[in-house]
Amino acid sequence: MNKNLFQQKLLDWFAQNARDLPWRKTYLPYHIWISEIMLQQTRMDRVVEYFQRWIARFPDIESIVRASEDEILKLWEGLGYYSRAKNLVRAAVIIVQEHEGRMPQEHQALLALPGIGPYTAGAIMSLAFNREFPIVDGNVERVFARIFNLAKPVKEKESHRFIWQQAEALIPPGMAREFNQSLMELGALICTPKQPLCDRCPVSELCLAHEKNIVGERPVQGGGRKSTPLTMVAGILFSDGKVLIRKRPEGKVWGGLWEFPGGRLEKGEAKISGLKRTFYEKTGLTVGVVGKTGIIKHSYTVYRVTLYGYHCEVSGESSTRKNDGAEYKWVSIEDLNRYAFSAGHRKLIRTSLPFS
């Protein structure tokens, strides 16, 4: 491949077609860090809105450290992958304590921060500091799989190493910021997974897959990760105009998020009896079911969850609420929006409590 021609064509195209994104107005290291963490497994159009809201509330790293976990998670609600938000807080504490509140400018120092791996460290080094470090995301993998006509899945060791090597070797001196963004932008706007716009691609004449007319066959698909189906139940219990919510313990899936008490059904277990069992195990309260509120289906990284919601009432004698390491609160319907819920339980609020 003609390296110089590839670089120039891509840079010229990016100069004319770069999207107007808020972090590109400043290229501040803090802004790049936040945007890149948010962009992991999240669509660009969603991230722009979340990014602007986040920066308005947390204009600098010190403001993250001063915030409560509940506020952090509430602002993150809807982005999913809440461990990313928690790692942001942990990293912010280290940056304030060890780096005077400024993002480190050394690659190894960035890699030492919670939640920052080779991709994010490379993004900060190249986009914020214009240093010659590669960035390889799904868009870049797809572009290179087609440009170089890779016959093996991009996640396989040999392909993975080749792509990172090429991503580094192709960076023009002093142009890391523009070049890395041009590659990702090309994958996002032109070299898309389905129906790529080859007739509008600035480097199609240098693309081996295009030359062989097999763009649709690249990248080669690897074995997909299987998802596990889960059937869960949740009870919405009212008392004196308030509803009981539970904060999931740290260290558990969705730790730190709020939910309605309930849990996972055992194999062959009926929904109503499963709800009563899990509600009692979590709270020590014996409940009866007043009626069904809704069925929520939601996919997470490795789970396909079907969540059945029920309105409940306390029935018979109930013991003192058990201490399972979780925090409980009785809150008004109006105050539910102050708390961060997992996506499934947030959907349950919308379907079960339309007046909230």
Side-chain angles (χ1 to χ4, degrees), residues 130-293:
N130 200 27
R131 302 271 294 279
E132 292 165 20
F133 284 83
I135 308 177
V136 175
D137 66 354
N139 287 318
V140 175
E141 288 176 338
R142 185 169 58 258
V143 168
F144 280 4
R146 290 167 174 169
I147 290 291
F148 294 104
N149 190 28
L150 299 184
K152 294 183 179 180
V154 295
K155 298 300 184 184
E156 286 192 5
K157 187 175 182 179
E158 182 180 344
S159 297
H160 178 81
R161 180 171 57 248
F162 175 82
I163 290 171
W164 275 89
Q165 289 173 344
Q166 293 299 318
E168 183 173 15
L170 284 169
I171 299 174
M175 298 291 290
R177 175 183 293 156
E178 290 79 6
F179 183 76
N180 282 343
Q181 288 184 108
S182 70
L183 274 176
M184 294 187 290
E185 202 84 333
L186 185 73
L189 302 180
I190 301 296
C191 197
T192 53
K194 297 179 180 179
Q195 297 180 332
L197 306 176
C198 296
D199 57 330
R200 294 168 52 185
C201 178
V203 291
S204 60
E205 65 187 86
L206 302 172
C207 177
L208 294 180
H210 183 259
E211 177 185 319
K212 298 177 182 296
N213 198 30
I214 54 172
V215 171
E217 300 174 27
R218 300 291 184 265
V220 174
Q221 298 302 310
R225 180 165 52 180
K226 294 183 178 179
S227 58
T228 302
L230 295 179
T231 302
M232 306 188 74
V233 289
I236 301 176
L237 177 63
F238 285 96
S239 179
D240 297 326
K242 293 188 176 182
V243 62
L244 181 65
I245 60 175
R246 171 182 182 266
K247 189 175 188 179
R248 293 184 61 84
E250 294 295 337
K252 302 288 186 179
V253 177
W254 307 304
L257 298 181
W258 293 86
E259 65 181 6
F260 299 108
R264 182 178 178 179
L265 294 182
E266 296 176 351
K267 186 176 181 180
E269 186 176 26
K271 299 180 185 65
I272 300 299
S273 59
L275 172 65
K276 293 179 178 180
R277 173 184 62 81
T278 56
F279 206 102
Y280 180 79
E281 289 174 353
K282 298 291 174 60
T283 69
L285 297 173
T286 302
V287 296
V289 173
V290 177
K292 183 185 291 186
T293 67

Side-chain angles (χ1 to χ4, degrees), residues 23-65:
W23 47 90
R24 286 178 178 169
K25 299 181 186 301
T26 65
Y27 288 112
L28 292 175
Y30 171 56
H31 289 183
I32 297 299
W33 175 40
I34 297 300
S35 66
E36 289 298 334
I37 297 298
M38 288 183 171
L39 282 165
Q40 294 171 13
Q41 297 173 296
T42 309
R43 298 193 316 272
M44 178 69 77
D45 56 343
R46 286 176 58 79
V47 167
V48 169
E49 176 186 348
Y50 275 88
F51 174 85
Q52 291 173 327
R53 191 160 60 237
W54 180 278
I55 295 301
R57 172 59 187 88
F58 303 121
D60 52 38
I61 296 174
E62 289 86 349
S63 59
I64 296 177
V65 176

